[in-house]
Short mmCIF file of all heavy atoms in Angstrom, two decimals:
data_model
loop_
_atom_site.label_atom_id
_atom_site.label_comp_id
_atom_site.label_asym_id
_atom_site.label_seq_id
_atom_site.Cartn_x
_atom_site.Cartn_y
_atom_site.Cartn_z
N LYS L 163 5.73 23.06 3.81
CA LYS L 163 6.83 22.52 4.62
C LYS L 163 6.54 22.60 6.13
O LYS L 163 7.44 22.78 6.94
CB LYS L 163 8.14 23.27 4.28
CG LYS L 163 8.53 23.12 2.83
CD LYS L 163 9.85 23.79 2.50
CE LYS L 163 9.76 25.19 1.98
NZ LYS L 163 9.06 25.37 0.74
N VAL L 164 5.28 22.47 6.52
CA VAL L 164 4.99 22.43 7.93
C VAL L 164 5.28 21.00 8.45
O VAL L 164 5.18 20.04 7.73
CB VAL L 164 3.50 22.81 8.24
CG1 VAL L 164 3.17 24.18 7.70
CG2 VAL L 164 2.53 21.79 7.66
N THR L 165 5.73 20.96 9.71
CA THR L 165 6.19 19.65 10.22
C THR L 165 5.03 18.72 10.63
O THR L 165 5.26 17.60 11.00
CB THR L 165 7.22 19.82 11.38
OG1 THR L 165 6.59 20.58 12.36
CG2 THR L 165 8.47 20.45 10.90
N THR L 166 3.81 19.26 10.58
CA THR L 166 2.62 18.39 10.76
C THR L 166 2.22 17.73 9.45
O THR L 166 1.20 17.06 9.40
CB THR L 166 1.44 19.14 11.34
OG1 THR L 166 1.26 20.31 10.55
CG2 THR L 166 1.69 19.56 12.79
N ALA L 167 2.97 17.97 8.40
CA ALA L 167 2.66 17.42 7.07
C ALA L 167 2.98 15.88 7.06
O ALA L 167 3.84 15.46 7.76
CB ALA L 167 3.42 18.11 6.01
N GLN L 168 2.25 15.16 6.21
CA GLN L 168 2.62 13.77 6.01
C GLN L 168 2.52 13.43 4.54
O GLN L 168 1.80 14.07 3.78
CB GLN L 168 1.81 12.81 6.87
CG GLN L 168 0.38 12.65 6.49
CD GLN L 168 -0.32 11.52 7.26
OE1 GLN L 168 -1.48 11.23 7.02
NE2 GLN L 168 0.35 10.88 8.21
N ILE L 169 3.24 12.38 4.17
CA ILE L 169 3.14 11.82 2.82
C ILE L 169 1.88 10.92 2.85
O ILE L 169 1.68 10.16 3.76
CB ILE L 169 4.39 11.01 2.47
CG1 ILE L 169 5.59 11.93 2.35
CG2 ILE L 169 4.18 10.23 1.16
CD1 ILE L 169 6.92 11.23 2.23
N VAL L 170 1.03 11.06 1.84
CA VAL L 170 -0.24 10.33 1.78
C VAL L 170 -0.11 9.27 0.67
O VAL L 170 0.48 9.51 -0.35
CB VAL L 170 -1.40 11.27 1.52
CG1 VAL L 170 -2.73 10.52 1.43
CG2 VAL L 170 -1.46 12.34 2.64
N ASN L 171 -0.70 8.09 0.96
CA ASN L 171 -0.63 6.95 0.04
C ASN L 171 -1.93 6.90 -0.72
O ASN L 171 -2.95 6.54 -0.15
CB ASN L 171 -0.39 5.69 0.92
CG ASN L 171 -0.13 4.46 0.09
OD1 ASN L 171 -0.42 4.44 -1.11
ND2 ASN L 171 0.36 3.44 0.77
N ASN L 172 -1.92 7.19 -2.00
CA ASN L 172 -3.11 7.42 -2.79
C ASN L 172 -3.98 8.48 -2.06
O ASN L 172 -3.52 9.57 -1.92
CB ASN L 172 -3.90 6.12 -3.04
CG ASN L 172 -3.09 5.15 -3.93
OD1 ASN L 172 -2.11 5.53 -4.50
ND2 ASN L 172 -3.56 3.91 -4.03
N TYR L 173 -5.18 8.08 -1.61
CA TYR L 173 -6.07 9.07 -0.95
C TYR L 173 -5.94 9.03 0.59
O TYR L 173 -6.58 9.82 1.25
CB TYR L 173 -7.51 8.80 -1.33
CG TYR L 173 -7.73 8.73 -2.82
CD1 TYR L 173 -7.96 7.50 -3.46
CD2 TYR L 173 -7.74 9.91 -3.62
CE1 TYR L 173 -8.18 7.44 -4.83
CE2 TYR L 173 -7.98 9.82 -4.98
CZ TYR L 173 -8.17 8.59 -5.59
OH TYR L 173 -8.39 8.52 -6.94
N TRP L 174 -5.14 8.09 1.07
CA TRP L 174 -5.29 7.75 2.50
C TRP L 174 -3.92 7.92 3.24
O TRP L 174 -2.89 7.46 2.75
CB TRP L 174 -5.76 6.31 2.62
CG TRP L 174 -6.73 5.87 1.56
CD1 TRP L 174 -6.50 4.96 0.60
CD2 TRP L 174 -8.05 6.39 1.29
NE1 TRP L 174 -7.61 4.84 -0.22
CE2 TRP L 174 -8.57 5.73 0.19
CE3 TRP L 174 -8.83 7.37 1.92
CZ2 TRP L 174 -9.84 5.98 -0.33
CZ3 TRP L 174 -10.11 7.64 1.40
CH2 TRP L 174 -10.58 6.95 0.29
N GLY L 175 -3.96 8.45 4.43
CA GLY L 175 -2.78 8.61 5.25
C GLY L 175 -2.27 7.25 5.73
O GLY L 175 -3.05 6.33 5.84
N ASP L 176 -0.97 7.18 5.97
CA ASP L 176 -0.42 5.83 6.11
C ASP L 176 0.69 5.80 7.16
O ASP L 176 1.68 5.08 7.02
CB ASP L 176 0.11 5.35 4.78
CG ASP L 176 0.10 3.82 4.67
OD1 ASP L 176 -0.30 3.17 5.62
OD2 ASP L 176 0.51 3.34 3.60
N GLY L 177 0.60 6.57 8.24
CA GLY L 177 1.51 6.41 9.32
C GLY L 177 2.80 7.19 9.27
O GLY L 177 3.74 6.91 10.02
N ASP L 178 2.88 8.22 8.39
CA ASP L 178 4.01 9.09 8.42
C ASP L 178 3.84 10.09 9.58
O ASP L 178 3.08 11.03 9.47
CB ASP L 178 4.17 9.84 7.09
CG ASP L 178 5.15 11.00 7.14
OD1 ASP L 178 5.91 11.07 8.13
OD2 ASP L 178 5.14 11.85 6.22
N ARG L 179 4.51 9.80 10.68
CA ARG L 179 4.44 10.70 11.84
C ARG L 179 5.63 11.65 11.89
O ARG L 179 5.79 12.40 12.85
CB ARG L 179 4.41 9.88 13.16
CG ARG L 179 3.36 8.85 13.20
CD ARG L 179 2.04 9.42 13.65
NE ARG L 179 1.07 8.37 13.84
CZ ARG L 179 0.00 8.16 13.07
NH1 ARG L 179 -0.25 8.92 12.04
NH2 ARG L 179 -0.83 7.16 13.34
N PHE L 180 6.50 11.50 10.93
CA PHE L 180 7.83 12.14 11.03
C PHE L 180 7.93 13.45 10.23
O PHE L 180 9.02 13.99 10.09
CB PHE L 180 8.92 11.18 10.59
CG PHE L 180 9.10 10.02 11.55
CD1 PHE L 180 8.79 8.72 11.17
CD2 PHE L 180 9.54 10.23 12.84
CE1 PHE L 180 8.93 7.67 12.01
CE2 PHE L 180 9.68 9.17 13.70
CZ PHE L 180 9.39 7.86 13.32
N GLY L 181 6.83 13.94 9.65
CA GLY L 181 6.89 15.15 8.88
C GLY L 181 7.61 15.00 7.52
O GLY L 181 8.08 15.96 6.96
N PHE L 182 7.64 13.78 7.03
CA PHE L 182 8.29 13.52 5.74
C PHE L 182 7.59 14.30 4.58
O PHE L 182 8.22 14.58 3.57
CB PHE L 182 8.36 12.07 5.40
CG PHE L 182 9.30 11.27 6.31
CD1 PHE L 182 9.16 9.88 6.44
CD2 PHE L 182 10.35 11.89 6.95
CE1 PHE L 182 10.02 9.15 7.23
CE2 PHE L 182 11.23 11.17 7.77
CZ PHE L 182 11.07 9.82 7.91
N GLY L 183 6.33 14.60 4.78
CA GLY L 183 5.64 15.45 3.78
C GLY L 183 6.30 16.76 3.56
O GLY L 183 6.40 17.27 2.45
N ALA L 184 6.86 17.36 4.66
CA ALA L 184 7.57 18.60 4.57
C ALA L 184 8.86 18.45 3.75
O ALA L 184 9.31 19.36 3.07
CB ALA L 184 7.91 19.15 5.98
N LEU L 185 9.46 17.26 3.81
CA LEU L 185 10.70 17.02 3.05
C LEU L 185 10.38 16.96 1.53
O LEU L 185 11.14 17.45 0.72
CB LEU L 185 11.35 15.71 3.49
CG LEU L 185 11.84 15.65 4.94
CD1 LEU L 185 12.59 14.33 5.16
CD2 LEU L 185 12.68 16.84 5.32
N PHE L 186 9.26 16.29 1.20
CA PHE L 186 8.82 16.33 -0.19
C PHE L 186 8.67 17.79 -0.65
O PHE L 186 9.13 18.19 -1.72
CB PHE L 186 7.46 15.58 -0.38
CG PHE L 186 7.56 14.15 -0.80
CD1 PHE L 186 8.56 13.29 -0.29
CD2 PHE L 186 6.62 13.58 -1.69
CE1 PHE L 186 8.62 11.95 -0.65
CE2 PHE L 186 6.68 12.25 -2.08
CZ PHE L 186 7.69 11.45 -1.55
N GLY L 187 7.99 18.58 0.18
CA GLY L 187 7.79 19.98 -0.16
C GLY L 187 9.09 20.71 -0.34
O GLY L 187 9.25 21.51 -1.32
N ALA L 188 10.05 20.47 0.55
CA ALA L 188 11.33 21.16 0.44
C ALA L 188 12.10 20.75 -0.82
O ALA L 188 12.93 21.49 -1.35
CB ALA L 188 12.18 20.83 1.67
N LYS L 189 11.78 19.60 -1.33
CA LYS L 189 12.44 19.12 -2.60
C LYS L 189 11.65 19.48 -3.82
O LYS L 189 11.99 19.07 -4.92
CB LYS L 189 12.60 17.59 -2.51
CG LYS L 189 13.66 17.12 -1.51
CD LYS L 189 13.78 15.61 -1.53
CE LYS L 189 14.86 15.14 -0.56
NZ LYS L 189 16.21 15.63 -0.88
N ASN L 190 10.54 20.24 -3.63
CA ASN L 190 9.67 20.55 -4.76
C ASN L 190 9.09 19.28 -5.42
O ASN L 190 8.86 19.23 -6.62
CB ASN L 190 10.39 21.39 -5.83
CG ASN L 190 10.01 22.86 -5.76
OD1 ASN L 190 8.91 23.22 -5.37
ND2 ASN L 190 10.98 23.69 -6.10
N LEU L 191 8.94 18.28 -4.60
CA LEU L 191 8.49 16.96 -5.08
C LEU L 191 7.02 16.78 -4.67
O LEU L 191 6.75 16.57 -3.50
CB LEU L 191 9.37 15.86 -4.49
CG LEU L 191 9.05 14.42 -4.93
CD1 LEU L 191 9.30 14.23 -6.44
CD2 LEU L 191 9.92 13.43 -4.13
N LYS L 192 6.15 16.89 -5.65
CA LYS L 192 4.70 16.74 -5.29
C LYS L 192 4.35 15.29 -5.05
O LYS L 192 3.51 15.00 -4.21
CB LYS L 192 3.87 17.32 -6.46
CG LYS L 192 2.35 17.24 -6.27
CD LYS L 192 1.83 18.12 -5.16
CE LYS L 192 0.31 18.06 -5.01
NZ LYS L 192 -0.19 18.85 -3.89
N ALA L 193 4.94 14.39 -5.83
CA ALA L 193 4.50 13.00 -5.73
C ALA L 193 5.51 12.05 -6.33
O ALA L 193 6.33 12.43 -7.15
CB ALA L 193 3.16 12.82 -6.46
N VAL L 194 5.39 10.82 -5.90
CA VAL L 194 6.08 9.70 -6.58
C VAL L 194 4.94 8.75 -7.02
O VAL L 194 4.18 8.26 -6.16
CB VAL L 194 7.07 8.96 -5.65
CG1 VAL L 194 7.70 7.77 -6.41
CG2 VAL L 194 8.13 9.92 -5.18
N ALA L 195 4.84 8.53 -8.32
CA ALA L 195 3.80 7.66 -8.86
C ALA L 195 4.45 6.41 -9.37
O ALA L 195 5.53 6.45 -9.97
CB ALA L 195 3.03 8.37 -9.99
N MET L 196 3.74 5.24 -9.17
CA MET L 196 4.40 3.95 -9.45
C MET L 196 3.44 2.99 -10.13
O MET L 196 2.32 2.88 -9.70
CB MET L 196 4.83 3.29 -8.15
CG MET L 196 5.80 4.12 -7.32
SD MET L 196 5.93 3.55 -5.62
CE MET L 196 4.65 4.47 -4.86
N ARG L 197 3.94 2.33 -11.15
CA ARG L 197 3.20 1.20 -11.76
C ARG L 197 4.21 0.32 -12.45
O ARG L 197 5.06 0.80 -13.21
CB ARG L 197 2.16 1.72 -12.73
CG ARG L 197 1.29 0.62 -13.37
CD ARG L 197 0.23 0.11 -12.40
NE ARG L 197 -0.65 -0.85 -13.05
CZ ARG L 197 -0.80 -2.08 -12.62
NH1 ARG L 197 -0.15 -2.55 -11.57
NH2 ARG L 197 -1.64 -2.92 -13.21
N GLY L 198 4.10 -0.97 -12.19
CA GLY L 198 5.15 -1.84 -12.78
C GLY L 198 4.62 -3.19 -13.21
O GLY L 198 3.63 -3.66 -12.69
N MET L 199 5.32 -3.71 -14.17
CA MET L 199 4.98 -5.05 -14.64
C MET L 199 6.11 -6.01 -14.38
O MET L 199 6.33 -6.99 -15.11
CB MET L 199 4.69 -5.02 -16.16
CG MET L 199 3.53 -4.11 -16.54
SD MET L 199 3.08 -4.34 -18.25
CE MET L 199 2.48 -2.74 -18.68
N GLY L 200 6.87 -5.75 -13.32
CA GLY L 200 8.05 -6.54 -13.03
C GLY L 200 7.71 -7.93 -12.55
O GLY L 200 6.55 -8.28 -12.28
N GLU L 201 8.74 -8.73 -12.42
CA GLU L 201 8.63 -10.11 -11.94
C GLU L 201 9.72 -10.33 -10.93
O GLU L 201 10.84 -9.87 -11.09
CB GLU L 201 8.80 -11.10 -13.10
CG GLU L 201 7.74 -10.99 -14.16
CD GLU L 201 7.94 -11.96 -15.30
OE1 GLU L 201 9.07 -12.46 -15.43
OE2 GLU L 201 6.99 -12.21 -16.05
N LEU L 202 9.40 -11.08 -9.85
CA LEU L 202 10.37 -11.37 -8.83
C LEU L 202 10.63 -12.88 -8.83
O LEU L 202 9.73 -13.69 -8.71
CB LEU L 202 9.88 -10.97 -7.45
CG LEU L 202 9.43 -9.51 -7.32
CD1 LEU L 202 8.76 -9.25 -5.99
CD2 LEU L 202 10.63 -8.55 -7.51
N GLU L 203 11.91 -13.24 -8.95
CA GLU L 203 12.25 -14.68 -9.03
C GLU L 203 12.55 -15.18 -7.61
O GLU L 203 12.83 -14.41 -6.70
CB GLU L 203 13.42 -14.88 -9.92
CG GLU L 203 13.04 -14.51 -11.38
CD GLU L 203 14.09 -14.85 -12.38
OE1 GLU L 203 15.23 -15.17 -11.98
OE2 GLU L 203 13.78 -14.77 -13.60
N ILE L 204 12.50 -16.49 -7.45
CA ILE L 204 12.69 -17.14 -6.15
C ILE L 204 13.70 -18.23 -6.37
O ILE L 204 13.69 -18.91 -7.38
CB ILE L 204 11.39 -17.76 -5.63
CG1 ILE L 204 10.23 -16.77 -5.73
CG2 ILE L 204 11.52 -18.26 -4.20
CD1 ILE L 204 9.24 -17.08 -6.81
N ASP L 205 14.63 -18.41 -5.37
CA ASP L 205 15.69 -19.39 -5.54
C ASP L 205 15.12 -20.81 -5.57
O ASP L 205 15.28 -21.53 -6.53
CB ASP L 205 16.71 -19.26 -4.40
CG ASP L 205 17.88 -20.18 -4.59
OD1 ASP L 205 18.56 -20.07 -5.62
OD2 ASP L 205 18.06 -21.06 -3.74
#
Side-chain angles (χ1 to χ4, degrees):
Chain L
K163 302 183 265 297
V164 302
T165 56
T166 51
Q168 71 171 183
I169 293 169
V170 179
N171 186 344
N172 294 349
Y173 307 105
W174 325 114
D176 208 0
D178 166 15
R179 305 278 187 250
F180 293 113
F182 290 158
L185 298 186
F186 264 39
K189 289 181 179 298
N190 258 328
L191 182 65
K192 179 68 178 178
V194 178
M196 300 164 272
R197 183 74 176 122
M199 299 190 211
E201 296 178 342
L202 306 171
E203 295 187 348
I204 311 108
D205 185 60

